Amino acid sequence: MRKNICTAFTTDCKKAEEGSSTLKLNTFQELKAQSTHTNPLMKKMNVMSTFVTFENLHEVRRLCHWGPVIALSVIAICSTMAILDSIIWYWPLDTTGGSINFIMLINWTVLILYNYFNAMFVGPGYIPIAWKPEDQQDAQYLQYCRLCQGYKAPRSHHCRKCNRQVCVMKMDHHCPWINNCCGHLNHAYFTSFLLLAPMGCSHAAIIFIMTMYTQLYERISFGWSTVKIDMSAVRQFQPLMPFSVPAFAATLFALGLALGTTIAVGMLFFIQMKVILRNKTSIESWIEEKAKDRIQHYQTGEEFIFPYDLGSRWLNFKQVFTWSGTPKGDGIEWPVHPKCHQHTLTIEQLKQKADKRVRSQVQYQAVEDYNGACCPLNKGLQTFFRTPCTEEPRIPLSKGENILATRGTKWWMYGDKVLSEEEMRAGERVRGWFPRRCVEKCHYDTAAGDGASDKKVN
């Protein structure tokens, strides 16, 4: 079996390399010319370089989601409390330092909201509906999206969370905090937001700490005999209102939000910059890891080179961040490594898809009903507390249904439900998480097609 798989993969590799010899390498000069192609989406982005614009009024509905509600609430609380604490108790506007501090706080708020709303409403950019490559021979190197009824352009993926009938250009991930995907057109805005939010929250945290310290300095003995802070400037003015217990509680709560946001969002910023400096996306980093695993598992002797790393961090950085705010490229064709071509990554994806089909030939049969609950109480405490921390769906199961599992944990599994021929022809696909205790592993004789159930998987 393993020998046949290796032989099939070797044949695929030779076929791909023979077909790819006719592909032209994409130079930087060619990319510049490609950016002038007639693309309504790119024309729209060229016009929108300064102000936030909406694709349509329906995009405003993106705000009606728990992610934007929480994100905007944190921004509002931290910004409002920082401004109030500065003006009323810590640093009045009638001083030079107070005025500069006030302007900086307003500046942080405006920049954060500007990049946040651009990341949300500009969107990642989408492949045209029913897109096909100009050269029909290139279709053999591309995946076909049944939901979009078209081919997936290089670096594009379909997002089921957005519920659109188009694929996302250079998709990095779906972000619940902006209720949209992060991709080709909004990657720079999203990363700028991840940088500015910790910086603004750090400034606000300093204001909160100094406000509480200066207002409680003469009320509470901290016992810090070695700490010497000049309090003469603070005593020169009278606060507009006393620093009461509710004000202290609100400031302390805002301080917790500011510190938590600084740490959490700051970590996300470093993760994003790590992949940007290599001209990758989070999805492509995972594809590269799987490519190494596939080559090592089947011992094919291949050398996989990530095609979009241009060899220089500065060149990779400029692919995303530009002075105009519009990233380079048209979202379909990309500059590539000299040893690669436009379909190097898509060919690798096809190989991984074939490998996935081979590795998931063992079916699982449902032995217990499951209603699709995120945290089912009737499936055991471990299943309840070890539920996957992801927005990926759960699939309900009925006793006797078959599932092809592709991955899993000790208590949960992820896979595709085996559908009827009519459902498959209609393009339906049901996949998601389900409790491991609800299924049994089935061993099938590949020659006779007879199946026999094994012991329940615990």
Side-chain angles (χ1 to χ4, degrees):
M1 176 69 175
R2 181 172 176 176
K3 183 178 180 181
N4 294 335
I5 295 172
C6 294
T7 304
F9 268 46
T10 305
T11 304
D12 289 343
C13 293
K14 291 180 179 180
K15 181 179 178 181
E17 294 301 327
E18 290 173 0
S20 63
S21 63
T22 61
L23 298 173
K24 297 175 64 177
L25 293 180
N26 196 24
T27 62
F28 298 110
Q29 292 78 10
E30 290 174 337
L31 176 64
K32 186 175 180 181
Q34 291 162 2
S35 63
T36 61
H37 285 177
T38 303
N39 191 325
L41 184 58
M42 296 307 298
K43 284 184 177 180
K44 179 180 177 182
M45 281 301 300
N46 290 333
V47 175
M48 197 288 300
S49 58
T50 307
F51 302 96
V52 176
T53 60
F54 303 97
E55 180 181 350
N56 50 60
L57 293 178
H58 296 292
E59 290 295 315
V60 180
R61 292 183 300 178
R62 292 194 179 277
L63 294 170
C64 302
H65 183 263
W66 63 265
V69 169
I70 294 177
L72 293 175
S73 297
V74 171
I75 296 172
I77 292 172
C78 292
S79 300
T80 303
M81 286 304 303
I83 293 173
L84 291 178
D85 282 4
S86 297
I87 297 175
I88 300 176
W89 294 295
Y90 175 59
W91 214 338
L93 292 178
D94 56 1
T95 62
T96 303
S99 299
I100 296 175
N101 174 68
F102 177 79
I103 294 173
M104 286 299 297
L105 288 174
I106 296 296
N107 178 66
W108 290 127
T109 304
V110 171
L111 289 177
I112 290 172
L113 290 177
Y114 171 78
N115 285 280
Y116 178 82
F117 285 124
N118 269 296
M120 178 186 292
F121 294 119
V122 169
Y126 302 97
I127 301 297
I129 298 176
W131 179 83
K132 296 180 180 180
E134 294 183 0
D135 187 352
Q136 294 300 320
Q137 293 183 353
D138 294 341
Q140 62 182 316
Y141 309 119
L142 301 174
Q143 297 185 74
Y144 186 82
C145 183
R146 291 180 293 180
L147 295 176
C148 301
Q149 297 298 310
Y151 289 93
K152 293 183 179 180
R155 312 189 79 174
S156 68
H157 302 273
H158 190 93
C159 178
R160 295 177 179 270
K161 296 294 181 183
C162 291
N163 197 25
R164 289 178 177 267
Q165 299 301 318
V166 287
C167 287
V168 177
M169 291 181 176
K170 192 189 172 186
M171 181 177 174
D172 185 88
H173 68 287
H174 180 88
C175 178
W177 304 110
I178 63 174
N179 195 20
N180 206 342
C181 285
C182 175
H184 177 54
L185 297 182
N186 65 348
H187 204 172
Y189 292 120
F190 180 77
T191 308
S192 298
F193 166 74
L194 296 183
L195 171 64
L196 294 168
M199 295 177 67
C201 287
S202 299
H203 185 185
I206 295 174
I207 298 297
F208 299 145
I209 294 172
M210 294 305 298
T211 298
M212 290 188 290
Y213 180 82
T214 55
Q215 292 302 313
L216 301 177
Y217 181 80
E218 294 182 350
R219 304 187 193 184
I220 301 176
S221 176
F222 291 98
W224 298 340
S225 57
T226 58
V227 178
K228 302 294 183 183
I229 298 179
D230 185 11
M231 304 297 294
S232 59
V234 178
R235 298 192 186 96
Q236 291 178 0
F237 76 96
Q238 293 297 325
L240 299 178
M241 63 179 67
F243 192 69
S244 59
V245 174
F248 172 77
T251 301
L252 186 62
F253 177 70
L255 174 62
L257 290 179
L259 292 178
T261 302
T262 300
I263 296 173
V265 180
M267 292 176 62
L268 293 176
F269 170 74
F270 283 109
I271 293 174
Q272 283 296 310
M273 285 304 301
K274 182 179 179 180
V275 296
I276 288 175
L277 292 178
R278 298 175 182 178
N279 203 13
K280 297 179 182 178
T281 64
S282 301
I283 296 177
E284 290 167 353
S285 296
W286 176 238
I287 293 174
E288 185 179 27
E289 290 297 322
K290 290 194 294 183
K292 296 177 181 178
D293 175 72
R294 180 186 62 79
I295 293 173
Q296 182 180 7
H297 179 80
Y298 292 107
Q299 298 293 319
T300 60
E302 301 174 64
E303 180 187 7
F304 178 76
I305 300 175
F306 184 74
Y308 305 116
D309 188 348
L310 303 181
S312 168
R313 292 185 177 182
W314 177 241
L315 292 177
N316 293 337
F317 179 84
K318 290 194 299 181
Q319 292 297 308
V320 177
F321 294 94
T322 60
W323 289 110
S324 65
T326 304
K328 293 185 178 180
D330 59 0
I332 296 178
E333 296 187 9
W334 310 90
V336 295
H337 190 277
K339 295 183 179 180
C340 303
H341 53 78
Q342 285 294 320
H343 299 92
T344 297
L345 189 66
T346 59
I347 292 173
E348 175 59 33
Q349 288 177 270
L350 291 173
K351 294 178 182 179
Q352 292 180 12
K353 200 169 184 179
D355 180 29
K356 181 179 178 180
R357 286 194 295 267
V358 170
R359 296 195 190 189
S360 63
Q361 287 302 306
V362 178
Q363 292 189 1
Y364 288 80
Q365 187 175 57
V367 294
E368 295 182 17
D369 292 336
Y370 168 56
N371 60 4
C374 181
C375 301
L377 288 171
N378 61 341
K379 300 302 180 184
L381 291 178
Q382 292 288 356
T383 302
F384 177 82
F385 288 109
R386 300 294 183 88
T387 183
C389 298
T390 174
E391 283 194 343
E392 291 176 314
R394 273 65 170 170
I395 54 174
L397 298 177
S398 298
K399 191 173 180 179
E401 290 184 327
N402 293 328
I403 308 97
L404 290 175
T406 56
R407 53 191 166 99
T409 64
K410 186 176 181 180
W411 305 101
W412 288 80
M413 299 189 72
Y414 185 92
D416 290 77
K417 186 181 293 187
V418 178
L419 304 177
S420 63
E421 294 184 2
E422 292 77 10
E423 292 173 325
M424 294 180 64
R425 282 196 294 267
E428 295 185 19
R429 187 177 187 182
V430 181
R431 62 178 177 176
W433 292 93
F434 52 90
R436 185 182 283 265
R437 61 171 288 174
C438 294
V439 297
E440 283 183 348
K441 188 191 299 183
C442 302
H443 297 282
Y444 289 89
D445 186 346
T446 56
D450 297 329
S453 61
D454 193 12
K455 295 182 179 179
K456 182 187 293 187
V457 179
N458 295 319

